[in-house]
Amino acid sequence: MILAVGFVAAVTAGLAALSVIAPGAHRSGDAPARPVASGGLFSALPAPATPAPTVPGAPGAPVVAFYGDSYTLGTGASDPSKRWSSIVCAERGWAEVNPSVNGRGFVNNRPSTPPDYLASDEIPLVVAAHPDIVFVTMGLNDTFSMPARAEAVHAAIVTDLATLRRELPDARLIVVEPFWYTDERPASVPQVITWVREAATALGADYVSGASHWIEGHPEWMAPDGLHPNDAGYAAMAARMSTSLTALGL
């Protein structure tokens, strides 16, 4: 996709529209998370209400939870059923739990700072769903905070993935290369991708590579905002994800 404006303008627009609000940080007035029992282990995570599936699935279907941003929430699609996550779950008969948030990143637009999770953070919500499979599709928005918050981004990646592995030891953890939305790629993109891949590898998680290129070169797959996929873009992402999952035996 060739941008009609300079790359600096594109990044500025992306920061405004993808991140939605300024990067979130743990607020000093927030009470620390209370230790609760989780899976027979002593957990420091708060205990939010179990989120309802957004795609119910058949009785006894595997529960699949998504830790993601606007590209997993489905912003730009004509209906949530058209986003890639719901397409994949419907095809496979999975029950989808998707608490993804616009602008969310490992540090960006976040209500708390790992490991001091609030109940409204996506990590406790994913854990509360007791999923059989967990997708991590995060990192795009954090590229806009680089290099100023590089240390915090790296630390949050490692902490989030380690927390999911610890809290959900029996779940299959699938970490996806962070998505990207333009043909131009600032240095922050491969850096965040490297950190995500390294953290996933260290935990023995499944890793889906190449996702940052899935909508590259296809301006017709973008919604009118120029920042998110449209229905055709999400369908293309779902097809690529399905191929990757088949290769993983899913």
Side-chain angles (χ1 to χ4, degrees):
M1 165 171 42
I2 305 302
L3 296 182
V5 296
F7 180 61
V8 172
V11 169
T12 301
L15 178 58
L18 283 170
S19 293
V20 183
I21 61 174
H26 182 58
R27 299 166 300 206
S28 59
D30 289 326
R34 299 191 307 274
V36 296
S38 174
L41 300 176
F42 195 65
S43 169
L45 289 182
T50 302
T54 49
V55 174
V63 174
V64 182
F66 293 83
Y67 175 35
D69 53 31
S70 60
Y71 269 52
T72 302
L73 178 64
T75 301
S78 62
D79 184 83
S81 66
K82 302 293 186 179
R83 62 189 177 191
W84 71 265
S85 61
S86 295
I87 294 171
V88 167
C89 286
E91 289 176 346
R92 285 169 159 73
W94 292 343
E96 176 189 8
V97 175
N98 191 339
S100 298
V101 176
N102 280 320
R104 182 61 51 86
F106 288 105
V107 301
N108 281 41
N109 187 28
R110 194 156 184 188
S112 54
T113 301
D116 298 322
Y117 298 102
L118 297 178
S120 58
D121 198 287
E122 279 187 59
I123 292 290
L125 290 171
V126 165
V127 170
H130 305 293
D132 301 289
I133 301 171
V134 177
F135 281 80
V136 176
T137 58
M138 196 73 76
L140 187 159
N141 291 295
D142 297 295
T143 63
F144 302 117
S145 292
M146 296 282 288
R149 302 185 71 191
E151 184 176 348
V153 171
H154 190 197
I157 291 169
V158 172
T159 301
D160 280 352
L161 267 60
T163 300
L164 289 171
R165 172 56 72 215
R166 184 188 71 243
E167 297 292 324
L168 301 167
D170 297 324
R172 187 154 184 180
L173 181 59
I174 301 173
V175 180
V176 180
E177 178 179 297
F179 299 127
W180 187 243
Y181 71 108
T182 66
D183 293 355
E184 291 80 4
R185 300 164 70 84
S188 57
V189 173
Q191 180 61 82
V192 173
I193 287 173
T194 296
W195 287 338
V196 170
R197 184 181 66 247
E198 289 176 345
T201 300
L203 293 170
D206 292 310
Y207 184 74
V208 175
S209 63
S212 66
H213 296 283
W214 284 356
I215 58 174
E216 189 174 80
H218 288 277
E220 74 277 13
W221 288 352
M222 297 301 289
D225 67 5
L227 298 168
H228 299 95
N230 56 22
D231 289 351
Y234 282 119
M237 293 172 68
R240 296 293 294 268
M241 186 66 76
S242 184
T243 298
S244 297
L245 295 177
T246 298
L248 293 173
L250 289 168

